[in-house]
Amino acid sequence: MILLALMSMLVVYSSTGSLAYKMYKGNTEVYLFKQIAFTGVGLFLIYFAHMVNYTLYSRIARILFLITIPLLVYTLFFGVSLNEGSRWIRLPIINLTFQTSDLAKLALFMYISRVLSRKQDDIKDFKKGFLPVILPVVLVCLLIAPANLSTALLVGATSMMLLFIGRVQIKHLLLTGAIAMVPIMMLILAAVWQHHEGNGVRARSEAKSRLTARVTTWVSRVEAFMYGNNGSKNEEDDNYQVNQAKIAIAKGGFFGLGPGNSETRNFLPHPYSDFIYAIIIEEYGIMGGAIVLVVYLLFLYRSIRLFRKCPYAFGAFLALALSFTLVIQAMANMAVNVNLFPVTGVTLPLVSMGGSSFLFTCIAIGIILSVSKYVEKNEQQQQSEPEGQETVEA
């Protein structure tokens, strides 16, 4: 976490220099100080969350999940809109916005970890075992998807992996996956049809409702990913973002241009959030990008070891679920930056510029450390037992 946070400060300072100069009349350090403040708050949240006994999270999981559902409904209809999607709600007193989907992910994985740990005897049964764990996942994904389809897909994929590890029947997972593939295939077919129909479809789709506009955006992104473009110069176009990211990666080469020497940051939209990985590669080269990738994989490896050592099912499932969602989100962000996935709105955990996503990521890491602390205490107790006691018990 410290390695990623240090990388974040360097790259956020570099990628926001021009924006800060424009917005704050020459003061280019504003966003750097904000990122340092977010990192300090994040470290406090990690420390606080890791001091709490992880079994307490099992007790509050149901309450937190029940609070999340009306928040998602409120966000869907009355939230702050950006790019035709309602993803944020504004807190009235402190006048700050946060993404309810971040809270929903945390609450959902705590809740299904609790249900999985309690349903292991009936987990193979469709009604008693499968439905109680899949219905919360479906509900949360349906509420998130209209405004943030990419996050809903990531939550669904993480949940499916967790259910597979939780010994859910393969046929039940395959059935769920087949149903989920139907709307995805419809998006792909719509993108193919729109590409062959041409600009007439786009012209007819301008005066649409917000939901219809979001569907049009999804279709356009899939179309752009499948067919590319002819060198778009529109900064709002997804192809423009992808092309600028490719330029940044090409300029970076193997060892990069050096810290603070990015040139594409002045042209690439959102270089401090969605496309920060392209700036990392431009400044630190493929080697720097590979180091970031290895850090996330090391984080996942440590979490898997923790899962294997944890003696209780809830802690094991909780640590694995939270680590899966962070690493899968990181992989999705990096894949978008190198044009392996269509453009999405997901950030690079702990590296993109601070916000509600950064703070909820820190809480998730604190919960993982809480489980880890208990496992370490358990191992120390076992090692400190008298050698003769094991013989007597045997």
Side-chain angles (χ1 to χ4, degrees), residues 87-107:
R87 303 181 183 181
W88 293 264
I89 61 174
R90 190 178 299 278
L91 301 177
I93 299 177
I94 57 178
N95 198 31
L96 290 177
T97 58
F98 81 97
Q99 268 188 267
T100 50
S101 59
D102 294 322
L103 176 61
K105 287 190 296 183
L106 188 62

Side-chain angles (χ1 to χ4, degrees), residues 127-339:
K127 291 184 178 179
K128 295 181 180 180
F130 182 66
L131 286 181
V133 292
I134 197 62
L135 288 180
V137 176
V138 173
L139 178 60
V140 169
C141 289
L142 288 177
L143 291 175
I144 294 176
N148 198 345
L149 180 62
S150 55
T151 298
L153 292 175
L154 292 177
V155 169
T158 305
S159 301
M160 294 288 281
M161 293 178 65
L162 184 63
L163 297 186
F164 172 75
I165 296 172
R167 302 191 308 115
V168 169
Q169 289 248 32
I170 300 295
K171 61 181 181 181
H172 296 160
L173 295 177
L174 291 177
L175 176 63
T176 307
I179 296 173
M181 283 300 296
V182 173
I184 297 175
M185 291 304 300
M186 291 176 64
L187 280 178
I188 296 174
L189 292 175
V192 174
W193 179 72
Q194 178 172 286
H195 178 75
H196 290 293
E197 285 290 319
N199 295 326
V201 175
R202 298 182 183 87
R204 291 193 298 270
S205 63
E206 289 180 356
K208 299 287 185 179
S209 66
R210 188 162 64 179
L211 180 58
T212 307
R214 288 302 299 167
V215 174
T216 304
T217 300
W218 301 337
V219 173
S220 299
R221 287 180 175 181
V222 174
E223 179 193 8
F225 175 72
M226 294 174 62
Y227 297 101
N229 73 330
N230 296 320
S232 171
K233 296 182 180 180
N234 180 8
E235 293 189 8
E236 300 299 322
D237 188 33
D238 296 324
N239 284 308
Y240 177 84
Q241 296 176 339
V242 171
N243 290 337
Q244 292 299 323
K246 289 179 180 178
I247 292 173
I249 294 170
K251 286 183 177 179
F254 200 75
F255 295 106
L257 301 178
N261 292 328
S262 170
E263 300 170 357
T264 318
R265 64 189 174 189
N266 299 318
F267 306 98
L268 179 63
H270 307 293
Y272 45 83
S273 58
D274 297 356
F275 284 88
I276 197 167
Y277 190 64
I279 302 299
I280 291 175
I281 296 179
E282 183 181 14
E283 293 190 349
Y284 300 93
I286 295 176
M287 290 296 295
I291 290 173
V292 174
L293 176 61
V294 169
V295 170
Y296 282 113
L297 293 177
L298 179 62
F299 176 79
L300 180 62
Y301 169 72
R302 295 285 297 174
S303 299
I304 292 174
R305 286 189 60 190
L306 181 61
F307 167 79
R308 297 178 62 183
K309 290 182 177 182
C310 188
Y312 297 107
F314 172 73
F317 288 136
L318 182 61
L320 202 61
L322 295 179
S323 61
F324 270 160
T325 187
L326 295 182
V327 175
I328 290 176
Q329 179 179 333
M331 295 299 174
N333 176 276
M334 291 185 279
V336 168
N337 277 248
V338 299
N339 200 28

Side-chain angles (χ1 to χ4, degrees), residues 39-176:
T39 304
V41 174
L43 286 172
F44 171 77
L45 291 175
I46 289 176
Y47 179 78
F48 175 78
H50 112 282
M51 291 298 293
V52 176
N53 191 322
Y54 78 90
T55 56
L56 180 63
Y57 298 116
S58 176
R59 300 174 189 172
I60 66 173
R62 180 184 297 177
I63 300 174
L64 192 61
F65 178 74
L66 293 177
I67 293 174
T68 298
I69 300 304
L71 280 177
L72 289 175
V73 175
Y74 178 84
T75 305
L76 186 60
F77 292 101
F78 307 105
V80 179
S81 298
L82 182 64
N83 297 330
E84 299 95 20
S86 296
R87 303 181 183 181
W88 293 264
I89 61 174
R90 190 178 299 278
L91 301 177
I93 299 177
I94 57 178
N95 198 31
L96 290 177
T97 58
F98 81 97
Q99 268 188 267
T100 50
S101 59
D102 294 322
L103 176 61
K105 287 190 296 183
L106 188 62
L108 174 65
F109 292 130
M110 289 169 59
Y111 181 71
I112 62 175
S113 297
R114 169 192 168 97
V115 176
L116 271 177
S117 64
R118 294 178 174 228
K119 294 284 185 181
Q120 282 301 296
D121 293 335
D122 302 318
I123 199 64
K124 300 294 184 182
D125 185 84
F126 183 79
K127 291 184 178 179
K128 295 181 180 180
F130 182 66
L131 286 181
V133 292
I134 197 62
L135 288 180
V137 176
V138 173
L139 178 60
V140 169
C141 289
L142 288 177
L143 291 175
I144 294 176
N148 198 345
L149 180 62
S150 55
T151 298
L153 292 175
L154 292 177
V155 169
T158 305
S159 301
M160 294 288 281
M161 293 178 65
L162 184 63
L163 297 186
F164 172 75
I165 296 172
R167 302 191 308 115
V168 169
Q169 289 248 32
I170 300 295
K171 61 181 181 181
H172 296 160
L173 295 177
L174 291 177
L175 176 63
T176 307

